[in-house]
Amino acid sequence: MTGREIHLVARPAGAPQPGDFALVETDVPEPGDGQLLVRNTWMSLDPAQRVRMHAGSSGYLPAFELDRPLDGWAVGTVLTSRAEGFSEGDTVLHNLGWRDYAVVDPASERPPQLLHVDADTPDRAYLGPLGWSALTSYVGLFDVAELRTGDIVFVSGAAGAVGSLVVQIAKVSGHIVIGSAGSAEKVAYVRDTLGADAAFCYRDGDVGELLRAAAPDGIDVYFDNVGGDHLQAALDVLRVKGRIALCGAISSYNASEPVPGPSNLFNAVAKGLTLRGFLARMYVHRMDDFRRDMQRWLADGSVVYAETVIEGLDQAPAGFVDMLAGGNVGKSIVRI
Amino acid sequence: MTGREIHLVARPAGAPQPGDFALVETDVPEPGDGQLLVRNTWMSLDPAQRVRMHAGSSGYLPAFELDRPLDGWAVGTVLTSRAEGFSEGDTVLHNLGWRDYAVVDPASERPPQLLHVDADTPDRAYLGPLGWSALTSYVGLFDVAELRTGDIVFVSGAAGAVGSLVVQIAKVSGHIVIGSAGSAEKVAYVRDTLGADAAFCYRDGDVGELLRAAAPDGIDVYFDNVGGDHLQAALDVLRVKGRIALCGAISSYNASEPVPGPSNLFNAVAKGLTLRGFLARMYVHRMDDFRRDMQRWLADGSVVYAETVIEGLDQAPAGFVDMLAGGNVGKSIVRI
């Protein structure tokens, strides 16, 4: 059987280009003893995958190898099971995306997860509102930033997969929320559809001034998806004992040289601020709490979920390039 | 009665110079109703006072005014009391240092504290091992960095007032401790007298390489008195779930332009690190715990305390200049 997979063929210099990727035909191996053959149906595009396209380790997941398939979250249907606990026709979540067929090993370090799928919960929901990027929003607010009553919340990348849920989870929890995004359309979406109390387009001027105008009373929590100017601005505007959830730094992912950090970090001393970084997988023990709450919010309409759907594995590189350039709203997923 | 006080007469450009200060004679006012007249005996020199010599607010205490006396922690003897609860001859801790006579108001925002003084506990101890900078070491480790069993601790400025106690408190609590300092003599002091397991002189090379060599297994806690290269190095060497207590950033205090922050802050995301800033006064509720523990450690010899004593109020500016240049070991105090 012949499959297709996306390889990284050149390390991007600056913003990735479609030519940095190649669609490669390959023989799909037979699953070995204890393994599954999965036909992938959907895969996730995540900004942090850009970090792994740089050479060497960044203290993050290992760098992608050149001329090898990329990887990332995907859902699919089991075609052949030679592993206990999995049957033909099962739906699974696993981390071998960027290909149409995957041989998945339940005994590996990151085993596949058997999914419950029904009419209200399609397979792709486990890449979306019930997936890892949504868990990121949830634990970033509650566990990492230790959200507490009365906190004013600021989130950057507020129209994105993680940010759009941060806005809504904070709103449903009773907070004042300010969001930033990269276009007037996104700002309108963040305010009108997601329900943020204030929102601004970071391209409209100095981020510090824009944030001060949007948050005249200051902020207590900053959920950082962006880094750079946004982090600098938040450090100035945060109130005493404020907290920053360091989730991502998309503003620097394309940089080939180290990008200086905020020059006003002394604010953390003067105001007793906490900056805490995290990856969702450090909070996997919160998955059940998260899914229970999220399913309730989705059912009662307090959380809505937007997707940017890319059609076809061959379009995944273009979708990835577009997402990093800010072309998406909500979660970017690829129908394979 | 004529008193003397030290004024800031010019905002230092770079490292402070003695000419930025002036000794000024002044008439000592009579204490008003509810006030005390205090003869200061000792005052504290603190690196963070340099921050207040810049114009404008840094989110810290207000900037010092030109041609006005500086202020800071001092102890002294009550000469005249017109306030309830204070008597002639009492010893008090207050924040009107940099002068020989002070009119102190118990109804002010930062009221004086009545001190218990005996043969084992001279007045100056309340600027030293029982004072605010020592509280800083204590809460920075236990409350801010949330020191836990098995943590490997790195502290910069390890021969200074705060750092020298951090080394010893961490050692008496059973931890492996690495310290950095600015001369071979200080490094020997940190290792041989304070008991650090390893120490290095940060002038000997790349701080990141020096730290890796001194801490081959990595570190879990970084107590940051320095910022700059030290903070950058610690972010690289910290292990998963590591913590940084952001106490000070002496490497940037003399800068007249903003100094870029660490370019490797993404380590905080990838390794789930926590950076928390603090001022000792945010932890005043821990003062009793701290003094009880510290008095026990001093009594049983598990903590030793070094002072750099400057003789005379007129020498305070030179002492301050020297301290910022790294000329001190332990706590710098001025005998008035």
Side-chain angles (χ1 to χ4, degrees):
Chain A
M1 196 163 59
T2 300
R4 299 171 308 151
E5 50 192 33
I6 307 285
H7 288 198
L8 185 69
V9 296
R11 301 207 178 276
Q17 306 297 324
D20 297 329
F21 305 87
L23 184 73
V24 175
E25 296 213 338
T26 178
D27 289 338
V28 178
E30 290 290 316
D33 197 35
Q35 295 182 325
L36 313 172
L37 176 65
V38 176
R39 172 65 171 88
N40 286 336
T41 48
W42 295 88
M43 61 174 262
S44 168
L45 297 177
D46 294 285
Q49 292 171 322
R50 175 66 183 90
V51 178
R52 300 177 58 201
M53 295 176 187
H54 293 289
S57 164
S58 56
Y60 198 58
L61 289 169
F64 289 122
E65 290 178 54
L66 287 181
D67 302 316
R68 296 281 304 153
L70 297 161
D71 62 60
W73 293 113
V75 291
T77 307
V78 175
L79 295 185
T80 310
S81 172
R82 300 189 59 193
E84 212 174 324
F86 295 87
S87 307
E88 203 181 301
D90 281 350
T91 303
V92 291
L93 173 69
H94 63 88
N95 70 336
L96 292 176
W98 298 88
R99 66 202 80 184
D100 45 15
Y101 294 94
V103 174
V104 174
D105 192 336
S108 69
E109 209 179 318
R110 307 187 76 185
Q113 187 191 2
L114 194 60
L115 299 177
H116 170 79
V117 174
D118 61 28
D120 292 335
T121 318
D123 54 357
R124 71 205 248 189
Y126 291 95
L127 300 180
L130 302 179
W132 284 95
S133 64
L135 176 67
T136 302
S137 311
Y138 183 90
V139 301
L141 276 174
F142 293 122
D143 298 72
V144 180
E146 302 183 59
L147 191 67
R148 48 183 90 127
T149 306
D151 280 345
I152 298 178
V153 176
F154 170 49
V155 55
S156 52
V162 172
S164 63
L165 286 178
V166 170
V167 171
Q168 296 178 88
I169 295 171
K171 282 310 299 175
V172 77
S173 305
H175 296 269
I176 295 174
V177 180
I178 297 115
S180 69
S183 73
E185 291 70 25
K186 286 185 180 180
V187 166
Y189 172 74
V190 169
R191 205 169 36 214
D192 302 339
T193 303
L194 303 181
D197 299 277
F200 63 85
C201 174
Y202 66 83
R203 300 182 206 268
D204 281 353
D206 177 82
V207 177
E209 288 171 22
L210 292 165
L211 177 58
R212 275 190 196 284
D217 296 326
I219 61 175
D220 303 290
V221 164
Y222 171 45
F223 195 115
D224 189 18
N225 293 310
V226 170
D229 289 355
H230 275 84
L231 179 56
Q232 178 104 8
L235 283 162
D236 279 339
V237 175
L238 274 158
R239 302 198 284 202
V240 168
K241 293 279 172 191
R243 284 140 280 139
I244 300 178
L246 297 168
C247 177
I250 197 170
S251 69
S252 65
Y253 288 169
N254 283 333
S256 40
E257 296 297 319
V259 177
S263 64
N264 59 349
L265 197 54
F266 195 75
N267 275 296
V269 178
K271 296 191 283 194
L273 307 180
T274 300
L275 295 78
R276 181 173 287 147
F278 73 111
L279 301 173
R281 69 186 128 106
M282 296 166 182
Y283 294 86
V284 65
H285 57 283
R286 294 277 279 153
M287 187 66 96
D288 290 346
D289 296 335
F290 150 66
R291 284 189 177 156
R292 187 194 59 233
D293 284 341
M294 184 57 72
Q295 283 177 307
R296 192 179 72 241
W297 293 327
L298 291 166
D300 72 15
S302 39
V303 166
V304 297
Y305 197 75
E307 288 168 340
T308 295
V309 173
I310 292 100
E311 296 289 349
L313 180 63
D314 58 318
Q315 294 304 308
F320 186 76
V321 168
D322 187 56
M323 176 185 68
L324 276 188
N328 63 308
V329 169
K331 178 71 188 174
S332 294
I333 55 173
V334 179
R335 191 195 314 261
I336 301 180
Chain B
M1 197 162 57
T2 301
R4 298 171 309 150
E5 52 193 31
I6 306 285
H7 287 199
L8 185 69
V9 297
R11 300 207 179 278
Q17 305 298 325
D20 299 327
F21 305 86
L23 184 74
V24 175
E25 295 215 335
T26 179
D27 288 339
V28 177
E30 289 290 315
D33 198 33
Q35 295 183 324
L36 315 172
L37 177 63
V38 176
R39 172 64 170 88
N40 287 336
T41 48
W42 295 89
M43 60 175 263
S44 168
L45 298 177
D46 295 285
Q49 292 172 321
R50 174 66 184 89
V51 178
R52 299 177 59 199
M53 295 176 187
H54 293 290
S57 164
S58 56
Y60 198 61
L61 289 168
F64 289 124
E65 291 177 54
L66 287 182
D67 302 316
R68 298 277 304 151
L70 297 161
D71 62 60
W73 293 113
V75 291
T77 307
V78 175
L79 295 184
T80 311
S81 171
R82 299 190 59 193
E84 213 172 322
F86 296 87
S87 307
E88 203 181 301
D90 280 350
T91 303
V92 291
L93 173 69
H94 62 89
N95 70 336
L96 294 175
W98 297 87
R99 65 203 80 186
D100 46 13
Y101 294 95
V103 174
V104 174
D105 192 336
S108 69
E109 207 178 317
R110 307 188 75 185
Q113 185 192 5
L114 195 59
L115 299 177
H116 170 80
V117 174
D118 61 28
D120 291 333
T121 319
D123 54 358
R124 72 205 249 188
Y126 291 95
L127 300 180
L130 303 179
W132 284 95
S133 63
L135 176 66
T136 301
S137 312
Y138 183 90
V139 301
L141 276 175
F142 293 122
D143 297 72
V144 180
E146 301 183 59
L147 191 66
R148 50 185 88 127
T149 306
D151 280 346
I152 299 178
V153 176
F154 169 49
V155 54
S156 53
V162 171
S164 63
L165 286 179
V166 170
V167 170
Q168 295 177 90
I169 295 171
K171 281 311 298 176
V172 77
S173 304
H175 296 268
I176 294 174
V177 180
I178 297 116
S180 70
S183 72
E185 292 70 25
K186 285 184 181 182
V187 167
Y189 172 74
V190 169
R191 206 168 34 213
D192 303 338
T193 304
L194 303 181
D197 299 276
F200 63 86
C201 174
Y202 66 81
R203 300 181 206 268
D204 282 352
D206 176 82
V207 177
E209 288 171 24
L210 293 165
L211 177 56
R212 274 191 197 282
D217 296 326
I219 61 174
D220 302 290
V221 164
Y222 171 45
F223 195 115
D224 188 18
N225 292 311
V226 168
D229 289 354
H230 275 82
L231 179 55
Q232 178 103 10
L235 283 163
D236 280 339
V237 175
L238 274 157
R239 303 197 284 202
V240 168
K241 293 279 174 190
R243 286 138 278 138
I244 301 179
L246 297 168
C247 178
I250 198 170
S251 69
S252 66
Y253 288 168
N254 283 333
S256 42
E257 296 297 319
V259 177
S263 65
N264 59 347
L265 197 53
F266 195 75
N267 275 296
V269 177
K271 295 190 284 194
L273 307 180
T274 300
L275 295 78
R276 181 173 286 146
F278 73 110
L279 302 173
R281 68 185 129 104
M282 296 167 181
Y283 295 86
V284 65
H285 57 281
R286 293 278 278 154
M287 187 65 98
D288 290 348
D289 295 335
F290 149 67
R291 283 189 178 156
R292 186 197 57 234
D293 284 341
M294 184 57 72
Q295 283 176 307
R296 192 180 71 242
W297 292 328
L298 291 165
D300 71 16
S302 38
V303 167
V304 297
Y305 198 77
E307 289 169 338
T308 296
V309 172
I310 292 101
E311 296 288 347
L313 180 63
D314 58 318
Q315 294 305 309
F320 185 76
V321 167
D322 186 56
M323 175 185 66
L324 277 188
N328 63 307
V329 168
K331 178 72 188 173
S332 294
I333 55 173
V334 180
R335 192 196 314 261
I336 302 180

PDB file of all heavy atoms in Angstrom, chain B residues 255-279:
ATOM      1  N   ALA B 255      22.811  51.175  34.420  1.00  0.00           N
ATOM      2  CA  ALA B 255      22.545  51.456  32.998  1.00  0.00           C
ATOM      3  C   ALA B 255      21.614  52.654  32.854  1.00  0.00           C
ATOM      4  O   ALA B 255      20.642  52.788  33.589  1.00  0.00           O
ATOM      5  CB  ALA B 255      21.935  50.232  32.335  1.00  0.00           C
ATOM      6  N   SER B 256      21.932  53.514  31.911  1.00  0.00           N
ATOM      7  CA  SER B 256      21.041  54.652  31.667  1.00  0.00           C
ATOM      8  C   SER B 256      20.048  54.353  30.546  1.00  0.00           C
ATOM      9  O   SER B 256      19.061  55.060  30.384  1.00  0.00           O
ATOM     10  CB  SER B 256      21.854  55.910  31.368  1.00  0.00           C
ATOM     11  OG  SER B 256      22.930  55.613  30.527  1.00  0.00           O
ATOM     12  N   GLU B 257      20.316  53.306  29.787  1.00  0.00           N
ATOM     13  CA  GLU B 257      19.364  52.854  28.767  1.00  0.00           C
ATOM     14  C   GLU B 257      18.795  51.496  29.194  1.00  0.00           C
ATOM     15  O   GLU B 257      19.460  50.761  29.930  1.00  0.00           O
ATOM     16  CB  GLU B 257      20.080  52.674  27.413  1.00  0.00           C
ATOM     17  CG  GLU B 257      20.643  53.935  26.819  1.00  0.00           C
ATOM     18  CD  GLU B 257      19.560  54.961  26.501  1.00  0.00           C
ATOM     19  OE1 GLU B 257      18.500  54.541  26.004  1.00  0.00           O
ATOM     20  OE2 GLU B 257      19.784  56.156  26.775  1.00  0.00           O
ATOM     21  N   PRO B 258      17.585  51.159  28.720  1.00  0.00           N
ATOM     22  CA  PRO B 258      17.036  49.838  29.063  1.00  0.00           C
ATOM     23  C   PRO B 258      17.965  48.713  28.599  1.00  0.00           C
ATOM     24  O   PRO B 258      18.524  48.773  27.505  1.00  0.00           O
ATOM     25  CB  PRO B 258      15.711  49.790  28.298  1.00  0.00           C
ATOM     26  CG  PRO B 258      15.347  51.206  28.024  1.00  0.00           C
ATOM     27  CD  PRO B 258      16.654  51.944  27.886  1.00  0.00           C
ATOM     28  N   VAL B 259      18.127  47.717  29.447  1.00  0.00           N
ATOM     29  CA  VAL B 259      18.995  46.575  29.137  1.00  0.00           C
ATOM     30  C   VAL B 259      18.106  45.413  28.692  1.00  0.00           C
ATOM     31  O   VAL B 259      17.168  45.052  29.405  1.00  0.00           O
ATOM     32  CB  VAL B 259      19.802  46.167  30.387  1.00  0.00           C
ATOM     33  CG1 VAL B 259      20.649  44.922  30.102  1.00  0.00           C
ATOM     34  CG2 VAL B 259      20.669  47.317  30.856  1.00  0.00           C
ATOM     35  N   PRO B 260      18.379  44.828  27.506  1.00  0.00           N
ATOM     36  CA  PRO B 260      17.542  43.717  27.045  1.00  0.00           C
ATOM     37  C   PRO B 260      17.528  42.569  28.049  1.00  0.00           C
ATOM     38  O   PRO B 260      18.531  42.314  28.726  1.00  0.00           O
ATOM     39  CB  PRO B 260      18.211  43.275  25.742  1.00  0.00           C
ATOM     40  CG  PRO B 260      19.048  44.418  25.312  1.00  0.00           C
ATOM     41  CD  PRO B 260      19.469  45.133  26.559  1.00  0.00           C
ATOM     42  N   GLY B 261      16.412  41.893  28.135  1.00  0.00           N
ATOM     43  CA  GLY B 261      16.289  40.725  28.999  1.00  0.00           C
ATOM     44  C   GLY B 261      16.853  39.485  28.334  1.00  0.00           C
ATOM     45  O   GLY B 261      17.400  39.552  27.224  1.00  0.00           O
ATOM     46  N   PRO B 262      16.726  38.348  28.994  1.00  0.00           N
ATOM     47  CA  PRO B 262      17.291  37.100  28.473  1.00  0.00           C
ATOM     48  C   PRO B 262      16.644  36.717  27.151  1.00  0.00           C
ATOM     49  O   PRO B 262      15.432  36.801  26.998  1.00  0.00           O
ATOM     50  CB  PRO B 262      16.971  36.082  29.564  1.00  0.00           C
ATOM     51  CG  PRO B 262      15.832  36.664  30.333  1.00  0.00           C
ATOM     52  CD  PRO B 262      16.009  38.152  30.263  1.00  0.00           C
ATOM     53  N   SER B 263      17.469  36.262  26.195  1.00  0.00           N
ATOM     54  CA  SER B 263      16.957  35.867  24.886  1.00  0.00           C
ATOM     55  C   SER B 263      16.476  34.423  24.895  1.00  0.00           C
ATOM     56  O   SER B 263      15.991  33.941  23.877  1.00  0.00           O
ATOM     57  CB  SER B 263      18.044  36.049  23.827  1.00  0.00           C
ATOM     58  OG  SER B 263      19.117  35.169  24.088  1.00  0.00           O
ATOM     59  N   ASN B 264      16.625  33.757  26.012  1.00  0.00           N
ATOM     60  CA  ASN B 264      16.276  32.330  26.078  1.00  0.00           C
ATOM     61  C   ASN B 264      15.129  32.070  27.047  1.00  0.00           C
ATOM     62  O   ASN B 264      15.060  31.004  27.668  1.00  0.00           O
ATOM     63  CB  ASN B 264      17.514  31.514  26.472  1.00  0.00           C
ATOM     64  CG  ASN B 264      18.070  31.944  27.819  1.00  0.00           C
ATOM     65  OD1 ASN B 264      17.680  32.999  28.343  1.00  0.00           O
ATOM     66  ND2 ASN B 264      18.970  31.161  28.375  1.00  0.00           N
ATOM     67  N   LEU B 265      14.227  33.042  27.155  1.00  0.00           N
ATOM     68  CA  LEU B 265      13.095  32.906  28.073  1.00  0.00           C
ATOM     69  C   LEU B 265      12.169  31.771  27.655  1.00  0.00           C
ATOM     70  O   LEU B 265      11.371  31.288  28.461  1.00  0.00           O
ATOM     71  CB  LEU B 265      12.335  34.239  28.121  1.00  0.00           C
ATOM     72  CG  LEU B 265      11.376  34.486  29.279  1.00  0.00           C
ATOM     73  CD1 LEU B 265      12.030  34.286  30.630  1.00  0.00           C
ATOM     74  CD2 LEU B 265      10.772  35.883  29.176  1.00  0.00           C
ATOM     75  N   PHE B 266      12.284  31.323  26.385  1.00  0.00           N
ATOM     76  CA  PHE B 266      11.450  30.208  25.930  1.00  0.00           C
ATOM     77  C   PHE B 266      11.731  28.934  26.734  1.00  0.00           C
ATOM     78  O   PHE B 266      10.884  28.040  26.813  1.00  0.00           O
ATOM     79  CB  PHE B 266      11.645  29.957  24.430  1.00  0.00           C
ATOM     80  CG  PHE B 266      10.578  29.074  23.845  1.00  0.00           C
ATOM     81  CD1 PHE B 266       9.308  29.564  23.605  1.00  0.00           C
ATOM     82  CD2 PHE B 266      10.839  27.731  23.553  1.00  0.00           C
ATOM     83  CE1 PHE B 266       8.308  28.739  23.082  1.00  0.00           C
ATOM     84  CE2 PHE B 266       9.845  26.904  23.029  1.00  0.00           C
ATOM     85  CZ  PHE B 266       8.576  27.409  22.791  1.00  0.00           C
ATOM     86  N   ASN B 267      12.911  28.865  27.349  1.00  0.00           N
ATOM     87  CA  ASN B 267      13.185  27.776  28.289  1.00  0.00           C
ATOM     88  C   ASN B 267      12.098  27.647  29.344  1.00  0.00           C
ATOM     89  O   ASN B 267      11.826  26.543  29.826  1.00  0.00           O
ATOM     90  CB  ASN B 267      14.514  28.025  29.021  1.00  0.00           C
ATOM     91  CG  ASN B 267      15.708  27.533  28.244  1.00  0.00           C
ATOM     92  OD1 ASN B 267      15.853  26.338  28.009  1.00  0.00           O
ATOM     93  ND2 ASN B 267      16.557  28.456  27.839  1.00  0.00           N
ATOM     94  N   ALA B 268      11.510  28.780  29.734  1.00  0.00           N
ATOM     95  CA  ALA B 268      10.473  28.742  30.767  1.00  0.00           C
ATOM     96  C   ALA B 268       9.261  27.958  30.275  1.00  0.00           C
ATOM     97  O   ALA B 268       8.643  27.210  31.042  1.00  0.00           O
ATOM     98  CB  ALA B 268      10.071  30.159  31.177  1.00  0.00           C
ATOM     99  N   VAL B 269       8.929  28.118  28.994  1.00  0.00           N
ATOM    100  CA  VAL B 269       7.826  27.351  28.401  1.00  0.00           C
ATOM    101  C   VAL B 269       8.218  25.870  28.331  1.00  0.00           C
ATOM    102  O   VAL B 269       7.514  24.993  28.828  1.00  0.00           O
ATOM    103  CB  VAL B 269       7.489  27.881  26.998  1.00  0.00           C
ATOM    104  CG1 VAL B 269       6.394  27.037  26.358  1.00  0.00           C
ATOM    105  CG2 VAL B 269       7.093  29.357  27.040  1.00  0.00           C
ATOM    106  N   ALA B 270       9.361  25.631  27.713  1.00  0.00           N
ATOM    107  CA  ALA B 270       9.759  24.254  27.409  1.00  0.00           C
ATOM    108  C   ALA B 270       9.979  23.422  28.664  1.00  0.00           C
ATOM    109  O   ALA B 270       9.749  22.213  28.661  1.00  0.00           O
ATOM    110  CB  ALA B 270      11.027  24.267  26.555  1.00  0.00           C
ATOM    111  N   LYS B 271      10.439  24.077  29.756  1.00  0.00           N
ATOM    112  CA  LYS B 271      10.766  23.318  30.970  1.00  0.00           C
ATOM    113  C   LYS B 271       9.800  23.600  32.120  1.00  0.00           C
ATOM    114  O   LYS B 271      10.005  23.111  33.229  1.00  0.00           O
ATOM    115  CB  LYS B 271      12.213  23.635  31.393  1.00  0.00           C
ATOM    116  CG  LYS B 271      13.238  23.162  30.359  1.00  0.00           C
ATOM    117  CD  LYS B 271      14.674  23.228  30.854  1.00  0.00           C
ATOM    118  CE  LYS B 271      15.216  24.648  30.859  1.00  0.00           C
ATOM    119  NZ  LYS B 271      16.690  24.695  31.015  1.00  0.00           N
ATOM    120  N   GLY B 272       8.759  24.383  31.849  1.00  0.00           N
ATOM    121  CA  GLY B 272       7.780  24.650  32.910  1.00  0.00           C
ATOM    122  C   GLY B 272       8.376  25.388  34.087  1.00  0.00           C
ATOM    123  O   GLY B 272       8.078  25.091  35.250  1.00  0.00           O
ATOM    124  N   LEU B 273       9.218  26.389  33.805  1.00  0.00           N
ATOM    125  CA  LEU B 273       9.897  27.133  34.862  1.00  0.00           C
ATOM    126  C   LEU B 273       9.001  28.241  35.426  1.00  0.00           C
ATOM    127  O   LEU B 273       8.153  28.789  34.729  1.00  0.00           O
ATOM    128  CB  LEU B 273      11.172  27.789  34.316  1.00  0.00           C
ATOM    129  CG  LEU B 273      12.154  26.881  33.586  1.00  0.00           C
ATOM    130  CD1 LEU B 273      13.366  27.692  33.108  1.00  0.00           C
ATOM    131  CD2 LEU B 273      12.592  25.725  34.467  1.00  0.00           C
ATOM    132  N   THR B 274       9.254  28.582  36.675  1.00  0.00           N
ATOM    133  CA  THR B 274       8.580  29.709  37.318  1.00  0.00           C
ATOM    134  C   THR B 274       9.608  30.764  37.694  1.00  0.00           C
ATOM    135  O   THR B 274      10.601  30.447  38.352  1.00  0.00           O
ATOM    136  CB  THR B 274       7.839  29.257  38.591  1.00  0.00           C
ATOM    137  OG1 THR B 274       6.871  28.272  38.233  1.00  0.00           O
ATOM    138  CG2 THR B 274       7.136  30.432  39.268  1.00  0.00           C
ATOM    139  N   LEU B 275       9.374  32.005  37.252  1.00  0.00           N
ATOM    140  CA  LEU B 275      10.192  33.154  37.660  1.00  0.00           C
ATOM    141  C   LEU B 275       9.295  34.031  38.523  1.00  0.00           C
ATOM    142  O   LEU B 275       8.226  34.458  38.063  1.00  0.00           O
ATOM    143  CB  LEU B 275      10.657  33.965  36.453  1.00  0.00           C
ATOM    144  CG  LEU B 275      11.613  33.328  35.448  1.00  0.00           C
ATOM    145  CD1 LEU B 275      10.879  32.376  34.500  1.00  0.00           C
ATOM    146  CD2 LEU B 275      12.328  34.409  34.641  1.00  0.00           C
ATOM    147  N   ARG B 276       9.717  34.292  39.742  1.00  0.00           N
ATOM    148  CA  ARG B 276       8.871  35.108  40.622  1.00  0.00           C
ATOM    149  C   ARG B 276       9.700  36.216  41.256  1.00  0.00           C
ATOM    150  O   ARG B 276      10.725  35.953  41.884  1.00  0.00           O
ATOM    151  CB  ARG B 276       8.234  34.233  41.699  1.00  0.00           C
ATOM    152  CG  ARG B 276       7.316  34.999  42.640  1.00  0.00           C
ATOM    153  CD  ARG B 276       6.568  34.065  43.579  1.00  0.00           C
ATOM    154  NE  ARG B 276       5.515  33.360  42.885  1.00  0.00           N
ATOM    155  CZ  ARG B 276       5.130  32.105  43.150  1.00  0.00           C
ATOM    156  NH1 ARG B 276       5.730  31.420  44.095  1.00  0.00           N
ATOM    157  NH2 ARG B 276       4.149  31.548  42.469  1.00  0.00           N
ATOM    158  N   GLY B 277       9.265  37.446  41.052  1.00  0.00           N
ATOM    159  CA  GLY B 277       9.922  38.584  41.665  1.00  0.00           C
ATOM    160  C   GLY B 277       9.333  38.876  43.028  1.00  0.00           C
ATOM    161  O   GLY B 277       8.217  38.461  43.347  1.00  0.00           O
ATOM    162  N   PHE B 278      10.085  39.613  43.831  1.00  0.00           N
ATOM    163  CA  PHE B 278       9.575  39.921  45.175  1.00  0.00           C
ATOM    164  C   PHE B 278      10.382  41.036  45.815  1.00  0.00           C
ATOM    165  O   PHE B 278      11.533  41.288  45.464  1.00  0.00           O
ATOM    166  CB  PHE B 278       9.613  38.679  46.064  1.00  0.00           C
ATOM    167  CG  PHE B 278      11.004  38.270  46.518  1.00  0.00           C
ATOM    168  CD1 PHE B 278      11.398  38.414  47.853  1.00  0.00           C
ATOM    169  CD2 PHE B 278      11.928  37.761  45.618  1.00  0.00           C
ATOM    170  CE1 PHE B 278      12.666  38.050  48.274  1.00  0.00           C
ATOM    171  CE2 PHE B 278      13.202  37.385  46.026  1.00  0.00           C
ATOM    172  CZ  PHE B 278      13.571  37.532  47.357  1.00  0.00           C
ATOM    173  N   LEU B 279       9.749  41.676  46.762  1.00  0.00           N
ATOM    174  CA  LEU B 279      10.400  42.580  47.707  1.00  0.00           C
ATOM    175  C   LEU B 279      10.139  42.003  49.094  1.00  0.00           C
ATOM    176  O   LEU B 279       9.054  41.474  49.357  1.00  0.00           O
ATOM    177  CB  LEU B 279       9.799  43.981  47.622  1.00  0.00           C
ATOM    178  CG  LEU B 279       9.856  44.655  46.253  1.00  0.00           C
ATOM    179  CD1 LEU B 279       9.070  45.962  46.273  1.00  0.00           C
ATOM    180  CD2 LEU B 279      11.310  44.919  45.857  1.00  0.00           C
TER     181      LEU B 279
END
